[in-house]
Amino acid sequence: MAVSLINLAYLFSTILFIYGLKGLTHPRTAVRGNLMGALGMLIAIVATLFNAKIASYEIIIAGLVVGSAIGTLLAARIRMTAIPQIIALLNGFGGGASFLVAGAVLYESIYLNENFSLQFRISIAASGVIGAVTLLGSLIAFAKLQELISEKAINFKGHNIINAILFLIILSFCGLSVYKPEETIFYWIIVALSSILGILSTIPIGGADMPVVISLLNSYSGLAAVATGFVLNNNSLIISGSLVGSSGLILTQIMCIAMNRSLAHVLFGIGSTTEKMTTKDDDIYAGRVKSVTPEEVAMLFDVARRVVIVPGYGMAISQAQYAVRDLFLLLEKNGMTVEFGIHPVAGRMPGHMNVLLAEVNIPYEKLKTMEEINTTFEQTDIVIVIGANDVVNPIARTNTKSPIAGMPILNVDKAKTVVIIKRGLSPGFAGIPNPLFAADNTLMLFSDGKKAVLDIISAVKAA
Ligand code: NAP
């Protein structure tokens, strides 16, 4: 196929990527957006296969078959709650592929005795740095989310200074590699040191800041693809990498705002307190927690007019979304106004709760953002919190030493009665106690999320 035709196909795939991204901005168009992005990727791959430089197809086909098989298996078998880990892995693979391809092209160019343009030299070094930081950073994020290593922030004295010195050493080797690209050892030193930087810059991030780092690594994987796109002179890779890089950065910014964190705070701990929160569970809970039965919760609905349901990670874990939909329909049938309050970082991935509730056809207009729902809690009779903890924890407002200090929360404590469904008093992702569980207007229904909601439905029907 002529180069101009291949570029035309790339242009078409780029248009599909952009419209696909736009589709992903709303649940109603998200499935179509996803399909458009996948179609764009298919067109880009097929067009690339017509590249005249390809000498044989065997290895490419083998790669496509193995990659597609692994991708299909992952997509079919992965639990919804493990999606963040998978995203972290996929980001990492993107970074790894970028520096491996750049390395391979470097060897090919040396073998063919080609002239190295300045663009080529710089983008090779950039692929090595960004690709390796992304791969190792993502593997650490994966290990933390999968609880293979401690989820907590691991920090030591002088951490940021060591990272800064390491970065300067990497930059020096980048200079050497740009000056003498045929000395491939420089490239591999860049990759090795950047891998260490990837590890060192991800281990100090933990707790509630993990979603931000995942989306930042997503952005890095896009930038690594851009650098490799310049190495290969491949327009499609440059444009799609830029889209991933910029959308990842925008998402990072949105999540930082949602958690009231600055990017510097997340990455370097700047502005964060070194003092640890010392509050013990007993100081908060002892003698103050009131538990209820599903039948008692059902009785509360007799006089309620407005109900807000706040889902969290526990709803995803217990797969309670179908039962929640049935409860929502039942309460509305009984004359109550029911809305959902969705915190931007509820669950374990951006949009986690929206995806689960859209899956069970809860009308989109019933899903209210944190800003919208927070103005309504004072007029709300009952809030049902299902498996949410950190996103409703008032400590975020009061304790400056807590890991969620300053994070805007859903102000459910302002409602007349709060019913919290969870199995016990265990903390959420941030690992801290929650005074809401001991508040005067809070009732705890200790149970698995799905079972509790089904029991409430039965009790309401029996009443
Ligand atoms: P959370 O603070 O992690 O709390 C979840 C609660 O669910 C736990 O306290 C747990 O208590 C309960 N639970 C677990 N299994 C349950 C089950 N089967 N039935 C009922 N309850 C169950 O969740 P969240 O309020 O949704 O907050 C999300 C947290 O994750 C935030 O700290 C956020 O920063 C972080 N995070 C978010 C993302 C994202 O992108 N959304 C990504 C990574 C991390 P019991 O064990 O007592 O039942």
Side-chain angles (χ1 to χ4, degrees), residues 399-427:
N399 191 326
T400 51
K401 292 176 196 164
S402 88
I404 58 168
M407 177 171 103
I409 57 157
L410 291 162
N411 298 323
V412 298
D413 51 342
K414 304 264 193 292
K416 292 195 185 89
T417 306
V418 186
V419 175
I420 298 180
I421 299 171
K422 67 200 293 291
R423 296 161 308 171
L425 288 171
S426 351

PDB file of all heavy atoms in Angstrom, residues 399-427:
ATOM      1  N   ASN A 399      -9.395  16.429  60.754  1.00  0.00           N
ATOM      2  CA  ASN A 399      -8.080  16.000  61.231  1.00  0.00           C
ATOM      3  C   ASN A 399      -7.015  16.223  60.154  1.00  0.00           C
ATOM      4  O   ASN A 399      -6.947  15.498  59.160  1.00  0.00           O
ATOM      5  CB  ASN A 399      -8.144  14.507  61.614  1.00  0.00           C
ATOM      6  CG  ASN A 399      -6.895  14.070  62.357  1.00  0.00           C
ATOM      7  OD1 ASN A 399      -5.806  14.558  62.090  1.00  0.00           O
ATOM      8  ND2 ASN A 399      -7.067  13.155  63.303  1.00  0.00           N
ATOM      9  N   THR A 400      -6.178  17.234  60.378  1.00  0.00           N
ATOM     10  CA  THR A 400      -5.190  17.598  59.354  1.00  0.00           C
ATOM     11  C   THR A 400      -4.076  16.559  59.223  1.00  0.00           C
ATOM     12  O   THR A 400      -3.299  16.599  58.282  1.00  0.00           O
ATOM     13  CB  THR A 400      -4.536  18.955  59.694  1.00  0.00           C
ATOM     14  OG1 THR A 400      -4.085  18.881  61.051  1.00  0.00           O
ATOM     15  CG2 THR A 400      -5.504  20.105  59.523  1.00  0.00           C
ATOM     16  N   LYS A 401      -4.004  15.624  60.215  1.00  0.00           N
ATOM     17  CA  LYS A 401      -2.956  14.603  60.133  1.00  0.00           C
ATOM     18  C   LYS A 401      -3.428  13.350  59.401  1.00  0.00           C
ATOM     19  O   LYS A 401      -2.654  12.421  59.185  1.00  0.00           O
ATOM     20  CB  LYS A 401      -2.514  14.202  61.547  1.00  0.00           C
ATOM     21  CG  LYS A 401      -1.788  15.305  62.274  1.00  0.00           C
ATOM     22  CD  LYS A 401      -1.486  14.842  63.687  1.00  0.00           C
ATOM     23  CE  LYS A 401      -1.110  16.014  64.568  1.00  0.00           C
ATOM     24  NZ  LYS A 401      -1.187  15.680  65.983  1.00  0.00           N
ATOM     25  N   SER A 402      -4.709  13.310  59.056  1.00  0.00           N
ATOM     26  CA  SER A 402      -5.215  12.081  58.437  1.00  0.00           C
ATOM     27  C   SER A 402      -4.781  12.012  56.971  1.00  0.00           C
ATOM     28  O   SER A 402      -4.566  13.045  56.342  1.00  0.00           O
ATOM     29  CB  SER A 402      -6.745  12.035  58.521  1.00  0.00           C
ATOM     30  OG  SER A 402      -7.299  12.686  57.413  1.00  0.00           O
ATOM     31  N   PRO A 403      -4.640  10.782  56.437  1.00  0.00           N
ATOM     32  CA  PRO A 403      -4.213  10.665  55.030  1.00  0.00           C
ATOM     33  C   PRO A 403      -5.248  11.216  54.048  1.00  0.00           C
ATOM     34  O   PRO A 403      -4.919  11.406  52.884  1.00  0.00           O
ATOM     35  CB  PRO A 403      -4.011   9.151  54.839  1.00  0.00           C
ATOM     36  CG  PRO A 403      -4.654   8.495  55.994  1.00  0.00           C
ATOM     37  CD  PRO A 403      -4.768   9.491  57.105  1.00  0.00           C
ATOM     38  N   ILE A 404      -6.486  11.438  54.519  1.00  0.00           N
ATOM     39  CA  ILE A 404      -7.485  11.995  53.593  1.00  0.00           C
ATOM     40  C   ILE A 404      -7.791  13.461  53.936  1.00  0.00           C
ATOM     41  O   ILE A 404      -8.793  14.003  53.477  1.00  0.00           O
ATOM     42  CB  ILE A 404      -8.786  11.165  53.565  1.00  0.00           C
ATOM     43  CG1 ILE A 404      -9.405  11.065  54.963  1.00  0.00           C
ATOM     44  CG2 ILE A 404      -8.572   9.796  52.987  1.00  0.00           C
ATOM     45  CD1 ILE A 404     -10.838  10.516  54.946  1.00  0.00           C
ATOM     46  N   ALA A 405      -6.901  14.084  54.734  1.00  0.00           N
ATOM     47  CA  ALA A 405      -7.149  15.477  55.161  1.00  0.00           C
ATOM     48  C   ALA A 405      -7.419  16.361  53.950  1.00  0.00           C
ATOM     49  O   ALA A 405      -6.675  16.339  52.975  1.00  0.00           O
ATOM     50  CB  ALA A 405      -5.945  16.001  55.923  1.00  0.00           C
ATOM     51  N   GLY A 406      -8.509  17.112  54.043  1.00  0.00           N
ATOM     52  CA  GLY A 406      -8.815  18.072  52.977  1.00  0.00           C
ATOM     53  C   GLY A 406      -9.555  17.473  51.799  1.00  0.00           C
ATOM     54  O   GLY A 406     -10.015  18.195  50.911  1.00  0.00           O
ATOM     55  N   MET A 407      -9.680  16.130  51.755  1.00  0.00           N
ATOM     56  CA  MET A 407     -10.414  15.528  50.622  1.00  0.00           C
ATOM     57  C   MET A 407     -11.898  15.878  50.773  1.00  0.00           C
ATOM     58  O   MET A 407     -12.479  15.634  51.835  1.00  0.00           O
ATOM     59  CB  MET A 407     -10.238  14.007  50.631  1.00  0.00           C
ATOM     60  CG  MET A 407     -11.019  13.306  49.539  1.00  0.00           C
ATOM     61  SD  MET A 407     -10.592  11.546  49.414  1.00  0.00           S
ATOM     62  CE  MET A 407     -11.981  10.796  50.224  1.00  0.00           C
ATOM     63  N   PRO A 408     -12.531  16.472  49.752  1.00  0.00           N
ATOM     64  CA  PRO A 408     -13.963  16.739  49.888  1.00  0.00           C
ATOM     65  C   PRO A 408     -14.713  15.416  50.037  1.00  0.00           C
ATOM     66  O   PRO A 408     -14.370  14.433  49.363  1.00  0.00           O
ATOM     67  CB  PRO A 408     -14.329  17.420  48.568  1.00  0.00           C
ATOM     68  CG  PRO A 408     -13.056  17.713  47.877  1.00  0.00           C
ATOM     69  CD  PRO A 408     -12.006  16.818  48.431  1.00  0.00           C
ATOM     70  N   ILE A 409     -15.681  15.374  50.948  1.00  0.00           N
ATOM     71  CA  ILE A 409     -16.421  14.120  51.158  1.00  0.00           C
ATOM     72  C   ILE A 409     -17.908  14.341  50.905  1.00  0.00           C
ATOM     73  O   ILE A 409     -18.358  15.488  50.786  1.00  0.00           O
ATOM     74  CB  ILE A 409     -16.234  13.577  52.599  1.00  0.00           C
ATOM     75  CG1 ILE A 409     -16.684  14.642  53.621  1.00  0.00           C
ATOM     76  CG2 ILE A 409     -14.826  13.128  52.833  1.00  0.00           C
ATOM     77  CD1 ILE A 409     -17.050  14.051  54.959  1.00  0.00           C
ATOM     78  N   LEU A 410     -18.663  13.255  50.854  1.00  0.00           N
ATOM     79  CA  LEU A 410     -20.119  13.347  50.792  1.00  0.00           C
ATOM     80  C   LEU A 410     -20.591  13.618  52.230  1.00  0.00           C
ATOM     81  O   LEU A 410     -20.333  12.806  53.126  1.00  0.00           O
ATOM     82  CB  LEU A 410     -20.715  12.037  50.273  1.00  0.00           C
ATOM     83  CG  LEU A 410     -20.418  11.746  48.792  1.00  0.00           C
ATOM     84  CD1 LEU A 410     -20.643  10.281  48.479  1.00  0.00           C
ATOM     85  CD2 LEU A 410     -21.274  12.611  47.890  1.00  0.00           C
ATOM     86  N   ASN A 411     -21.265  14.745  52.437  1.00  0.00           N
ATOM     87  CA  ASN A 411     -21.627  15.154  53.811  1.00  0.00           C
ATOM     88  C   ASN A 411     -22.879  14.427  54.297  1.00  0.00           C
ATOM     89  O   ASN A 411     -23.871  15.055  54.679  1.00  0.00           O
ATOM     90  CB  ASN A 411     -21.846  16.663  53.857  1.00  0.00           C
ATOM     91  CG  ASN A 411     -20.581  17.408  53.490  1.00  0.00           C
ATOM     92  OD1 ASN A 411     -19.480  16.972  53.857  1.00  0.00           O
ATOM     93  ND2 ASN A 411     -20.712  18.494  52.747  1.00  0.00           N
ATOM     94  N   VAL A 412     -22.828  13.092  54.312  1.00  0.00           N
ATOM     95  CA  VAL A 412     -24.012  12.315  54.678  1.00  0.00           C
ATOM     96  C   VAL A 412     -24.420  12.545  56.128  1.00  0.00           C
ATOM     97  O   VAL A 412     -25.581  12.377  56.499  1.00  0.00           O
ATOM     98  CB  VAL A 412     -23.799  10.803  54.433  1.00  0.00           C
ATOM     99  CG1 VAL A 412     -23.553  10.504  52.980  1.00  0.00           C
ATOM    100  CG2 VAL A 412     -22.654  10.273  55.279  1.00  0.00           C
ATOM    101  N   ASP A 413     -23.439  12.958  56.981  1.00  0.00           N
ATOM    102  CA  ASP A 413     -23.747  13.168  58.401  1.00  0.00           C
ATOM    103  C   ASP A 413     -24.762  14.292  58.609  1.00  0.00           C
ATOM    104  O   ASP A 413     -25.324  14.427  59.689  1.00  0.00           O
ATOM    105  CB  ASP A 413     -22.464  13.426  59.206  1.00  0.00           C
ATOM    106  CG  ASP A 413     -21.597  14.522  58.589  1.00  0.00           C
ATOM    107  OD1 ASP A 413     -21.789  14.845  57.401  1.00  0.00           O
ATOM    108  OD2 ASP A 413     -20.740  15.074  59.307  1.00  0.00           O
ATOM    109  N   LYS A 414     -25.024  15.079  57.561  1.00  0.00           N
ATOM    110  CA  LYS A 414     -25.990  16.181  57.699  1.00  0.00           C
ATOM    111  C   LYS A 414     -27.449  15.691  57.535  1.00  0.00           C
ATOM    112  O   LYS A 414     -28.395  16.430  57.791  1.00  0.00           O
ATOM    113  CB  LYS A 414     -25.728  17.252  56.627  1.00  0.00           C
ATOM    114  CG  LYS A 414     -24.315  17.821  56.618  1.00  0.00           C
ATOM    115  CD  LYS A 414     -24.275  19.118  57.423  1.00  0.00           C
ATOM    116  CE  LYS A 414     -23.015  19.912  57.231  1.00  0.00           C
ATOM    117  NZ  LYS A 414     -21.788  19.338  57.760  1.00  0.00           N
ATOM    118  N   ALA A 415     -27.614  14.436  57.096  1.00  0.00           N
ATOM    119  CA  ALA A 415     -28.975  13.916  56.898  1.00  0.00           C
ATOM    120  C   ALA A 415     -29.605  13.566  58.241  1.00  0.00           C
ATOM    121  O   ALA A 415     -28.914  13.487  59.263  1.00  0.00           O
ATOM    122  CB  ALA A 415     -28.914  12.672  56.016  1.00  0.00           C
ATOM    123  N   LYS A 416     -30.957  13.333  58.236  1.00  0.00           N
ATOM    124  CA  LYS A 416     -31.612  13.029  59.523  1.00  0.00           C
ATOM    125  C   LYS A 416     -31.110  11.689  60.070  1.00  0.00           C
ATOM    126  O   LYS A 416     -30.740  11.580  61.225  1.00  0.00           O
ATOM    127  CB  LYS A 416     -33.133  13.001  59.323  1.00  0.00           C
ATOM    128  CG  LYS A 416     -33.667  14.390  59.014  1.00  0.00           C
ATOM    129  CD  LYS A 416     -35.181  14.488  59.155  1.00  0.00           C
ATOM    130  CE  LYS A 416     -35.625  15.867  58.699  1.00  0.00           C
ATOM    131  NZ  LYS A 416     -35.928  15.939  57.263  1.00  0.00           N
ATOM    132  N   THR A 417     -31.126  10.649  59.225  1.00  0.00           N
ATOM    133  CA  THR A 417     -30.644   9.335  59.674  1.00  0.00           C
ATOM    134  C   THR A 417     -29.704   8.754  58.621  1.00  0.00           C
ATOM    135  O   THR A 417     -29.974   8.860  57.421  1.00  0.00           O
ATOM    136  CB  THR A 417     -31.833   8.364  59.860  1.00  0.00           C
ATOM    137  OG1 THR A 417     -32.772   8.972  60.732  1.00  0.00           O
ATOM    138  CG2 THR A 417     -31.386   7.037  60.428  1.00  0.00           C
ATOM    139  N   VAL A 418     -28.619   8.157  59.103  1.00  0.00           N
ATOM    140  CA  VAL A 418     -27.672   7.510  58.182  1.00  0.00           C
ATOM    141  C   VAL A 418     -27.625   6.021  58.519  1.00  0.00           C
ATOM    142  O   VAL A 418     -27.378   5.652  59.674  1.00  0.00           O
ATOM    143  CB  VAL A 418     -26.246   8.100  58.335  1.00  0.00           C
ATOM    144  CG1 VAL A 418     -25.311   7.520  57.275  1.00  0.00           C
ATOM    145  CG2 VAL A 418     -26.264   9.608  58.270  1.00  0.00           C
ATOM    146  N   VAL A 419     -27.907   5.182  57.517  1.00  0.00           N
ATOM    147  CA  VAL A 419     -27.781   3.733  57.721  1.00  0.00           C
ATOM    148  C   VAL A 419     -26.537   3.285  56.960  1.00  0.00           C
ATOM    149  O   VAL A 419     -26.428   3.538  55.749  1.00  0.00           O
ATOM    150  CB  VAL A 419     -29.022   2.988  57.175  1.00  0.00           C
ATOM    151  CG1 VAL A 419     -28.829   1.475  57.285  1.00  0.00           C
ATOM    152  CG2 VAL A 419     -30.274   3.425  57.914  1.00  0.00           C
ATOM    153  N   ILE A 420     -25.599   2.651  57.672  1.00  0.00           N
ATOM    154  CA  ILE A 420     -24.364   2.231  56.996  1.00  0.00           C
ATOM    155  C   ILE A 420     -24.307   0.710  56.934  1.00  0.00           C
ATOM    156  O   ILE A 420     -24.378   0.032  57.953  1.00  0.00           O
ATOM    157  CB  ILE A 420     -23.125   2.778  57.735  1.00  0.00           C
ATOM    158  CG1 ILE A 420     -23.185   4.305  57.706  1.00  0.00           C
ATOM    159  CG2 ILE A 420     -21.836   2.270  57.091  1.00  0.00           C
ATOM    160  CD1 ILE A 420     -22.042   4.985  58.397  1.00  0.00           C
ATOM    161  N   ILE A 421     -24.210   0.212  55.695  1.00  0.00           N
ATOM    162  CA  ILE A 421     -24.138  -1.239  55.507  1.00  0.00           C
ATOM    163  C   ILE A 421     -22.687  -1.625  55.259  1.00  0.00           C
ATOM    164  O   ILE A 421     -22.071  -1.188  54.286  1.00  0.00           O
ATOM    165  CB  ILE A 421     -24.997  -1.665  54.297  1.00  0.00           C
ATOM    166  CG1 ILE A 421     -26.463  -1.291  54.523  1.00  0.00           C
ATOM    167  CG2 ILE A 421     -24.839  -3.154  54.017  1.00  0.00           C
ATOM    168  CD1 ILE A 421     -27.336  -1.490  53.296  1.00  0.00           C
ATOM    169  N   LYS A 422     -22.110  -2.392  56.139  1.00  0.00           N
ATOM    170  CA  LYS A 422     -20.783  -2.982  55.950  1.00  0.00           C
ATOM    171  C   LYS A 422     -20.656  -4.150  56.914  1.00  0.00           C
ATOM    172  O   LYS A 422     -21.505  -4.326  57.785  1.00  0.00           O
ATOM    173  CB  LYS A 422     -19.657  -1.949  56.090  1.00  0.00           C
ATOM    174  CG  LYS A 422     -19.471  -1.352  57.484  1.00  0.00           C
ATOM    175  CD  LYS A 422     -18.708  -0.048  57.420  1.00  0.00           C
ATOM    176  CE  LYS A 422     -17.262  -0.179  56.995  1.00  0.00           C
ATOM    177  NZ  LYS A 422     -16.405  -0.843  57.992  1.00  0.00           N
ATOM    178  N   ARG A 423     -19.608  -4.955  56.747  1.00  0.00           N
ATOM    179  CA  ARG A 423     -19.573  -6.197  57.522  1.00  0.00           C
ATOM    180  C   ARG A 423     -19.105  -6.000  58.955  1.00  0.00           C
ATOM    181  O   ARG A 423     -19.470  -6.754  59.844  1.00  0.00           O
ATOM    182  CB  ARG A 423     -18.675  -7.209  56.809  1.00  0.00           C
ATOM    183  CG  ARG A 423     -19.218  -7.619  55.456  1.00  0.00           C
ATOM    184  CD  ARG A 423     -18.146  -8.227  54.608  1.00  0.00           C
ATOM    185  NE  ARG A 423     -16.990  -7.353  54.543  1.00  0.00           N
ATOM    186  CZ  ARG A 423     -15.832  -7.674  54.014  1.00  0.00           C
ATOM    187  NH1 ARG A 423     -15.675  -8.861  53.481  1.00  0.00           N
ATOM    188  NH2 ARG A 423     -14.833  -6.816  53.990  1.00  0.00           N
ATOM    189  N   GLY A 424     -18.279  -4.992  59.174  1.00  0.00           N
ATOM    190  CA  GLY A 424     -17.761  -4.757  60.531  1.00  0.00           C
ATOM    191  C   GLY A 424     -17.310  -3.319  60.622  1.00  0.00           C
ATOM    192  O   GLY A 424     -17.792  -2.470  59.871  1.00  0.00           O
ATOM    193  N   LEU A 425     -16.336  -3.081  61.512  1.00  0.00           N
ATOM    194  CA  LEU A 425     -15.864  -1.691  61.665  1.00  0.00           C
ATOM    195  C   LEU A 425     -14.502  -1.506  60.983  1.00  0.00           C
ATOM    196  O   LEU A 425     -13.768  -0.560  61.281  1.00  0.00           O
ATOM    197  CB  LEU A 425     -15.760  -1.336  63.148  1.00  0.00           C
ATOM    198  CG  LEU A 425     -17.103  -1.143  63.874  1.00  0.00           C
ATOM    199  CD1 LEU A 425     -16.891  -1.012  65.383  1.00  0.00           C
ATOM    200  CD2 LEU A 425     -17.852   0.068  63.342  1.00  0.00           C
ATOM    201  N   SER A 426     -14.162  -2.410  60.037  1.00  0.00           N
ATOM    202  CA  SER A 426     -12.839  -2.278  59.411  1.00  0.00           C
ATOM    203  C   SER A 426     -12.740  -0.989  58.621  1.00  0.00           C
ATOM    204  O   SER A 426     -13.736  -0.496  58.099  1.00  0.00           O
ATOM    205  CB  SER A 426     -12.528  -3.421  58.452  1.00  0.00           C
ATOM    206  OG  SER A 426     -13.441  -4.416  58.532  1.00  0.00           O
ATOM    207  N   PRO A 427     -11.512  -0.459  58.561  1.00  0.00           N
ATOM    208  CA  PRO A 427     -11.334   0.797  57.827  1.00  0.00           C
ATOM    209  C   PRO A 427     -11.423   0.575  56.314  1.00  0.00           C
ATOM    210  O   PRO A 427     -11.434  -0.560  55.840  1.00  0.00           O
ATOM    211  CB  PRO A 427      -9.912   1.223  58.208  1.00  0.00           C
ATOM    212  CG  PRO A 427      -9.220  -0.031  58.586  1.00  0.00           C
ATOM    213  CD  PRO A 427     -10.258  -0.961  59.121  1.00  0.00           C
TER     214      PRO A 427
END
